[in-house]
Amino acid sequence: LLAKNRQEHHIETKHGPVSVAVYGDHDKHALITYPDVALNHMSCFQGLLFCPEAASLLLHNFCIYHISPPGHELGATPILPNSPVASVDELADQVAEVLDFFGLGSVMCLGVSAGAYILTLFATKYRERVLGLILVSPLCRTPSWTEWFYNKVMSNLLYYYGMCDMVKDCLLQRYFGKRVRGGSAVPESDIMQACRSFLDQRQSMNIWRFIQTINQRHDLTESLKQLQCRTLIFVGENSQFHTEAVHMTAKLDKRYSALVEVQACGSVVTEEQPHAMLIPMEYFLMGYGLFRPSHVSSSPRSPLNPFCISPELLSPESMGVKLKPIKTRANLRV
């Protein structure tokens, strides 16, 4: 159903072409997504949208516009070598041009790690155009020495050897927690094998470009104070960017932001434990008057069953509900 309703658009912007996959009714509110390094919507948001409850919540309320980083879309060709590498500010400006192309005003944003950084930067530059931010394991400050080093290693390997096994291992460690990655005694999970296969199809120099861009990002800490929208942050307990998410939450206005830590999970919560996002997202969106369709029933095991809701989420406040920093644990299938 999702594939059937998808429309692909290739848009020329001042900072180069960008690919956008659109799902849903154009008359609904707009939800903009942006994935992490080397991913696109099929590998970063498919797990979330394949959850029936999440699909009903999001597609009932939104038309979804999946923006791919330059050269990350399905079937992408190599970007010409003489094309300049875009800066993070240029990618944020590119998002604004996408909104202009579709005639969109204010939008909801959903980003993962590097994509969360781009959408947060967009929100600080175009405050009137962002209704709210849903950020997954977001980046906020300049790269730590560890991240900078890993990015440099991946960049060099991509440049000289392409998408080799070592690059894939670095990226998979960035995305997922230990239980999903497996080990010597535990086989790799299906999600890991699928992601490896997906990475094999990527254009290595296009990935190299986005890593160069994100490795030269600037600190958004001071700009966070200017944000005028509500923000919901998810972070995996085992994410490499856990301290980034905590730092970002501490700098945001506590009346309009919340942090949800997902236990036994890496960075890409949308793929590893998407069910852990459902309850906080549903109550976050209630603050905007957005609800799941009433005909979708909650089974006793459904994550959206009202009897499973943490009491901390039920106190009305400026967000429509009060989201305190809470921990969630989703059942892991072994």
Side-chain angles (χ1 to χ4, degrees), residues 106-305:
S106 299
V107 300
M108 188 72 68
C109 295
L110 168 61
V112 176
S113 296
Y117 177 93
I118 298 298
L119 292 180
T120 303
L121 176 58
F122 168 71
T124 63
K125 297 183 72 171
Y126 301 89
R127 295 192 295 274
E128 72 286 352
R129 306 199 74 169
V130 178
L131 290 171
L133 289 169
I134 302 173
L135 307 175
V136 180
S137 304
L139 308 179
C140 171
R141 295 174 287 188
T142 55
S144 66
W145 281 109
T146 303
E147 185 198 347
W148 182 90
F149 176 76
Y150 267 91
N151 287 345
K152 279 295 183 182
V153 169
M154 285 196 293
S155 293
N156 289 335
L157 290 170
L158 283 165
Y159 192 87
Y160 291 107
Y161 302 105
M163 186 58 76
C164 60
D165 286 342
M166 188 173 292
V167 172
K168 284 185 277 189
D169 288 341
C170 287
L171 288 170
L172 292 169
Q173 189 173 6
R174 173 190 178 102
Y175 302 151
F176 302 120
K178 291 180 180 178
R179 291 190 63 171
V180 171
R181 295 203 309 272
S184 56
V186 182
E188 279 190 350
S189 63
D190 291 343
I191 188 174
M192 281 283 288
Q193 294 177 21
C195 195
R196 277 190 187 277
S197 176
F198 173 85
L199 291 173
D200 280 331
Q201 303 168 31
R202 299 302 88 207
Q203 294 288 346
S204 56
M205 288 309 295
N206 297 356
I207 308 304
W208 176 87
R209 285 170 167 271
F210 193 28
I211 291 176
Q212 296 293 107
T213 298
I214 212 67
N215 219 26
Q216 298 174 25
R217 67 183 185 267
H218 49 87
D219 193 335
L220 298 181
T221 300
E222 290 302 313
S223 302
L224 295 178
K225 300 171 184 176
Q226 303 169 15
L227 284 181
Q228 298 176 349
C229 63
R230 300 162 182 171
T231 305
L232 176 60
I233 297 176
F234 294 92
V235 66
E237 178 185 34
N238 305 127
S239 169
Q240 295 180 357
F241 310 119
H242 187 278
T243 56
E244 284 286 296
V246 173
H247 168 82
M248 187 173 185
T249 305
K251 299 301 179 182
L252 290 167
D253 189 328
K254 291 179 175 57
R255 296 173 298 168
Y256 306 109
S257 62
L259 172 67
V260 178
E261 183 185 79
V262 183
Q263 294 186 352
C265 189
S267 294
V268 187
V269 183
T270 50
E271 291 294 322
E272 189 171 346
Q273 291 199 40
H275 283 89
M277 299 178 62
L278 296 177
I279 297 171
M281 276 202 313
E282 184 172 34
Y283 279 82
F284 178 74
L285 294 176
M286 278 185 182
Y288 298 87
L290 303 175
F291 302 89
R292 277 194 307 140
S294 56
H295 66 269
V296 178
S297 61
S298 290
S299 68
R301 297 182 62 187
S302 168
L304 292 182
N305 188 309

Side-chain angles (χ1 to χ4, degrees), residues 59-73:
L59 292 172
H60 176 70
N61 290 294
F62 296 104
C63 180
I64 304 177
Y65 298 80
H66 294 295
I67 301 178
S68 292
H72 281 52
E73 67 273 12

Side-chain angles (χ1 to χ4, degrees), residues 81-92:
N82 59 350
S83 300
V85 175
S87 68
V88 288
D89 283 283
E90 288 171 341
L91 293 185

